[in-house]
Amino acid sequence: MTSPRILIYLLRRDLRLADNPILHEISRSFQQSPRPFTHLLPLYVFAAQQIEVSGFLSSDSERSPFKEARCPLGGFWRCGPHRAQFLAESVWDLKKTFEGVGSGLEIRVGMVGQVVNDLLDAFKLDDKGAEIVGVWMTDEEGVEEKREENDVRKVVEERGKEFRLWVDEKYFVDDRDLPLQYPKDLPDVFTSFRKTVEPLRGAPRRTLPISEMLPPLPPSIPRQAAPFDMPSSLESTIAALKKPLDKSLGLRKPPKWPVNATSAHPFHGGETTGHNRIKHLITSGNMTTYKDTRNGMLGMDFSTKLSAWLALGCITARQVHAYLYDFEEGKTDLGKGARGYGKGENRGTAALRFELLWRDYMRLCTRKFGPRLFRIEGFRNDSSYPWKYPSKDRAANDALVRFLEGETGTGLIDASMRELFLTGYTSNRARQNVASFLAKHLGIDWRIGAEWYESMLVDYDLSNNWGNWQYNAGVGNDPRGEGRVFNPVKQAFDYDSEGKYVKNWVEELRQLSNPQMIFQAWKVPEEQRKGLGLAGLEWVESPLKRIEFHVGRNAGRGGRGNGKGGRGGGSRGGGGGGEYLSGGGRGGVDGFRGKSRADYQRGPGRMGKMDKAQASGALRVD
């Protein structure tokens, strides 16, 4: 009997069967004669530096050999409960899918390089003479991600085996089709980049066919290395990931779920649900109306909510494009009868392609700037601003705590922070305002906001999160830099004119009907506060910022602001890491996006400078 020749496919953020170049090549190669390998071992590792794995310990008496997976500045868990669950669901959905095509998925915890090393050592001792012929994995951007790739390469090549790193094809435009010879050639302004790849409708490559059958798993597979045990079900995996995470996540007064509030992101992870979501958006007509509704805040369908699936590679941007193209051309029955079917590209589908390209751009910025993604000076290398550091400034620390708990006294900010804590999601419009508030109104180290988003967001994506936080903090590659400042009161009037979103998440304000008071509760007359249950609340009596704004002819427009700008992407370089506005926005679908010019306050820029400008009348806030 022939000894097993095993190829290991190490998965990270390519959690799909369809449109997967590695699986496409594996399926093709397995049909050759002689076969280059007899068995396939798909492997997923919960990486110990990015997600806390102590919940997988075999007993409570065991100690994890790894440092806690916490953010370096804020000390938050790097992967909070919402993303942990979505990730677990995505991994187990893929495991089930692989089993349906003759394979499976082995799940491990630890440092990726060490896990591969342990597997190679264990197979070397296999009594069936099993041989590992190689390890394949997908290339990713990011300091830690490159370190993982180098660790695996070293382990594999030291044993004389094949290591192959594949192009990451989950993006809109394939890397091999970009007019860039070197990372430094990437323009620092998105518009310049966009012009090099237009027209967008013809930019993506075709999707790859699904692999109908994969090689079998090896006849025997080594167990997870001690002191960990791997769960045997999705439910037990989720429980293990959440076990170390206290429910308050370190907050002294964590938000509580408001009565009758509903999540805008009640979705489950996985390739299956990702495709179901795309099909729903098409058949419901929401792809066609996307540009007109994407700045909404309440409900499931004002935006696509595809960013969480895109971030993990459960779906690819070119798959989304393919669905759109078939709908626009009427090539399939999917969406037949929906608005826009068979009528070519429309405002909504064109806008969605535009956002998908932003996601590409933010990832390429990470490639260009590397560790600068995590440094307070940002891509601009701007060290001119006197940021406030909570670790050194008691007042800044107190303000940060109130910000995280959703008790700033600014309605839109508090609603978004509470929604984020409770659901793992908040809209693109809210994300931009939150980032601007922390960085430019409070002047606090923007990286702490990025870290909190990394921990909380279900759709967290390295490049979109950190790139968008930089952008909104004025240190990223925004050509207008610190001149862009969001007025969260004006924004609330524009996009939540009746205060429904704010009252949905800030339950204490539900008895109010005057938007001025909903958006800034300090404006409620003192004699009325007791009867409304607002007396004595710190965020009512002493808001972090009192923002003067008077309703003018531009307020309350509710759905506009299509905009240009934004992005949405151990220590990860320089001053440490974290993550932020993720999965969307100019840089993703529905996380961070861009802004229209009318969305900004105009003027000098950040924090104290902004206050002075307001006082002098030099800064427009209407």
Side-chain angles (χ1 to χ4, degrees), residues 518-535:
I518 296 169
F519 302 147
Q520 294 195 102
W522 60 268
K523 290 192 172 184
V524 176
E526 291 188 16
E527 63 273 15
Q528 297 179 22
R529 293 177 186 176
K530 184 175 182 180
L532 295 169
L534 300 175

Side-chain angles (χ1 to χ4, degrees), residues 133-332:
V133 299
V135 177
W136 293 358
M137 64 190 299
T138 300
D139 177 37
E140 292 187 11
E141 303 302 330
V143 174
E144 290 179 337
E145 290 71 19
K146 293 303 179 188
R147 187 179 300 129
E148 286 179 340
E149 292 162 15
N150 291 335
D151 290 346
V152 174
R153 179 189 296 274
K154 181 179 179 181
V155 165
V156 174
E157 292 185 345
E158 281 180 347
R159 289 167 168 77
K161 307 301 181 182
E162 179 195 27
F163 174 77
R164 188 171 176 184
L165 195 60
W166 289 71
V167 173
D168 190 351
E169 297 189 30
K170 65 174 172 279
Y171 294 93
F172 189 68
V173 181
D174 192 281
D175 280 3
R176 293 158 293 194
D177 299 330
L178 293 171
L180 306 172
Q181 186 173 2
Y182 303 105
K184 66 180 178 61
D185 296 335
L186 179 73
D188 288 341
V189 177
F190 170 74
T191 302
S192 301
F193 167 70
R194 189 196 74 223
K195 290 178 179 178
T196 68
V197 295
E198 288 180 326
L200 299 188
R201 195 168 185 252
R205 292 189 176 191
R206 291 185 177 182
T207 59
L208 296 170
I210 194 167
S211 300
E212 300 291 346
M213 187 59 63
L214 295 177
L217 290 171
S220 63
I221 301 173
R223 291 176 55 84
Q224 163 74 46
F228 302 100
D229 277 340
M230 297 313 301
S232 58
S233 69
L234 168 61
E235 293 72 23
S236 53
T237 301
I238 293 172
L241 289 169
K242 291 185 176 182
K243 183 178 179 180
L245 314 180
D246 59 291
K247 291 185 178 180
S248 68
L249 298 178
L251 300 184
R252 61 184 183 183
K253 294 188 293 182
K256 296 180 180 178
W257 196 280
V259 175
N260 296 325
T262 57
S263 173
H265 199 289
F267 308 111
H268 296 284
E271 181 178 18
T272 304
T273 54
H275 282 274
N276 288 340
R277 176 63 180 169
I278 299 173
K279 293 173 184 176
H280 164 75
L281 292 167
I282 288 175
T283 56
S284 63
N286 286 295
M287 288 295 198
T288 300
T289 60
Y290 170 71
K291 186 168 185 178
D292 299 321
T293 65
R294 66 180 184 172
N295 281 303
M297 293 183 175
L298 280 173
M300 289 189 291
D301 290 343
F302 62 81
S303 63
T304 71
K305 311 293 194 305
L306 294 177
S307 50
W309 290 288
L310 287 165
L312 294 177
C314 299
I315 59 174
T316 67
R318 66 188 184 192
Q319 284 178 320
V320 177
H321 163 76
Y323 275 109
L324 294 179
Y325 187 86
D326 287 350
F327 169 73
E328 292 164 339
E329 297 299 313
K331 297 185 71 171
T332 70

Side-chain angles (χ1 to χ4, degrees), residues 73-76 250-253 388-408 413-414 417 434 437-439 442-453 469 538 544:
L73 297 177
F76 317 126
L251 300 184
R252 61 184 183 183
K253 294 188 293 182
K388 299 173 186 175
Y389 300 98
S391 62
K392 301 176 182 178
D393 184 327
R394 179 62 181 272
N397 184 72
D398 291 345
L400 175 65
V401 170
R402 288 178 57 182
F403 169 80
L404 297 176
E405 293 176 347
E407 295 196 347
T408 69
I413 305 304
D414 292 342
M417 294 303 287
V434 164
F437 187 84
L438 181 70
L442 300 182
I444 292 174
D445 184 347
W446 62 268
R447 297 171 300 169
I448 299 176
E451 288 186 343
W452 184 245
Y453 267 43
W469 271 96
E538 183 180 25
L544 294 180

Side-chain angles (χ1 to χ4, degrees), residues 537-580:
L537 295 179
E538 183 180 25
W539 53 274
V540 176
E541 309 286 349
S542 302
L544 294 180
K545 299 290 292 187
R546 293 175 185 260
I547 301 173
E548 289 298 336
F549 177 76
H550 302 285
V551 180
R553 59 189 177 87
N554 291 327
R557 285 197 253 174
R560 64 102 177 86
N562 295 325
K564 310 168 181 175
R567 289 154 310 243
S571 176
R572 287 170 284 186
E579 295 254 347
Y580 156 69

